[in-house]
Amino acid sequence: MIGAMGEFELIDRYFRRPAQRAALGVGDDCALLQPAPGMQLAVSTDLLVEGRHFLSTVPPQRLGHKALAVNLSDLAACGAAPLAFTLALSLPRADPEFLGPFADGLLGLADRHAIELVGGDTTAGPLTIGITVFGEVPAGQALLRSGACAGDTLWVSGAALGDARLALEAWRGRVTLAGDDFDATRRAMELPTPRVALGLALRGVATSAIDLSDGLLGDVGHVLRASGVGATLDLAALPTSAALARQDAALRRRCQLDGGDDYELLFSAPPQRALAVQAAAQAAGVGVTPIGRIDAEPGLRLREADGRVAEASARGYDHFA
Ligand code: ADP
Ligand code: MG
């Protein structure tokens, strides 16, 4: 029992729906999935803990959306098509005022990607949401962190790098935003759009990809280490929202380079594929911007707006640092 509503009543009421593509969904000891012949299963898990990954002020519907969105973003980074997901949910009470909108946000995003919730686990405890997503990708075609080559252009999706971090700074009282700016950046933080269609369109075009979850510098660092290369980033090229452009330069830099929670795709492609990259972005309905270049020389360099280049440390967010 979790409060007045029993565990099984809770699952039936909020999370059980008829299986669609899955051979077997919620209700038995395992779900059964059937990837198409020739496809590899892509699997990723993300855990969201209250106070660490989300604020207690987030509306439940947005929390449901975000919990799945951050997982879909990992599939996007691999160029995998989403199939299904499981939900491990720990919550203090079986509160319908939380569960109703939470399930709406979660399953609404699932419906938009035509994927289904096939199982999970539910327990009483501190609010924690663990989702595992399953996707499929033609064998050998997944986008990896390890494929970037010297001379490749580095691209990033979206138009508002750093906005999620700006919203967090506003919640923390470190910056005051005008009403519209606050709403826009809060949406960026609470309602990220996973770039699934872009990831699919970049198969065979991008040489490497990663989704930006821990901050640009740290995530670029993951690609550079996995690929055994270096890079130079053009700071003036980073896509910047109107809200962030109104902030002072130091804050802007912190939000864009160390920010986190962007859920945009960062990917590399040879310069001669620039048109194919643009076509992929157009097909996916999302903007992409070239923000730098992969170098043979190890290390990460930042080119300032005035042309000066300085060495940076590629260290992202680390929960245990
Ligand atoms: P078991 O004891 O075998 O782990 P449970 O009693 O925990 O099974 O769960 C019963 C069924 O409900 C299983 O099919 C499980 O996958 C599903 N389930 C449990 N919690 C959730 C949830 N939060 N969302 C979706 N399905 C769930
Ligand atoms: Mg169980």
Side-chain angles (χ1 to χ4, degrees):
M1 289 281 287
I2 304 177
M5 192 181 344
E7 176 185 334
F8 301 105
E9 186 190 347
L10 184 164
I11 295 165
D12 280 350
R13 188 178 317 169
Y14 295 104
F15 300 120
R16 185 202 286 267
R17 299 199 301 184
Q20 293 163 42
R21 283 168 69 196
L24 185 64
V26 170
D28 214 305
D29 288 307
C30 290
L32 298 174
L33 302 177
Q34 182 71 65
M39 302 296 253
Q40 279 177 323
L41 205 51
V43 181
S44 181
T45 299
D46 258 315
L47 191 60
L48 273 71
V49 177
E50 182 167 18
R52 189 146 266 282
H53 301 97
F54 59 90
L55 303 172
S56 54
T57 48
V58 62
Q61 182 166 10
R62 291 185 171 196
L63 183 59
H65 170 104
K66 183 166 178 176
L68 182 56
V70 304
N71 279 279
L72 290 175
S73 179
D74 285 315
L75 289 183
C78 290
L83 281 177
F85 66 106
T86 59
L87 169 67
L89 182 62
S90 158
L91 73 175
R93 282 164 291 109
D95 174 9
E97 300 209 347
F98 172 84
L99 282 160
F102 175 80
D104 282 350
L106 179 82
L107 298 177
L109 183 63
D111 287 344
R112 292 200 287 289
H113 289 273
I115 76 169
E116 56 192 313
L117 176 57
V118 294
D121 201 20
T122 308
T123 175
L127 184 58
T128 304
I129 304 148
I131 288 183
T132 298
V133 281
F134 304 89
E136 60 179 8
V137 57
Q141 286 186 35
L143 301 173
L144 304 177
R145 297 178 178 186
S146 53
C149 297
D152 283 357
T153 306
L154 263 176
W155 299 79
V156 71
S157 64
L161 198 67
D163 268 25
R165 174 63 180 269
L166 181 58
L168 186 60
E169 297 284 323
W171 278 113
R172 288 172 169 168
R174 293 189 191 154
V175 58
T176 305
L177 301 177
D180 286 352
D181 286 354
F182 181 66
D183 292 343
T185 58
R186 186 178 179 187
R187 281 184 71 83
M189 178 172 74
E190 295 178 341
L191 288 172
T193 303
R195 303 303 188 187
V196 173
L198 180 63
L200 293 176
L202 287 173
R203 288 202 305 231
V205 176
T207 51
S208 74
I210 189 172
D211 72 314
L212 294 179
S213 55
D214 297 339
L216 179 64
L217 290 193
D219 288 328
V220 169
H222 292 313
V223 171
L224 301 187
R225 271 187 296 277
S227 298
V229 293
T232 306
L233 293 184
D234 251 311
L235 295 185
L238 300 180
T240 306
S241 70
L244 193 57
R246 280 189 267 279
Q247 309 308 314
D248 70 66
L251 177 62
R252 210 159 61 218
R253 190 185 182 98
R254 190 157 75 243
C255 290
Q256 296 201 302
L257 299 186
D258 307 330
D261 259 8
D262 289 302
Y263 302 106
E264 295 296 348
L265 295 188
L266 175 85
F267 58 95
S268 57
Q272 58 274 21
R273 286 193 202 148
L275 283 178
V277 168
Q278 294 287 3
Q282 194 156 26
V286 54
V288 293
T289 307
I291 61 164
R293 191 195 58 209
I294 298 290
D295 305 323
E297 185 191 345
L300 178 56
R301 289 155 291 279
L302 304 179
R303 180 177 293 110
E304 307 284 342
D306 64 9
R308 278 181 306 127
V309 176
E311 204 73 27
S313 88
R315 208 164 43 84
Y317 187 75
D318 178 339
H319 280 283
F320 297 102

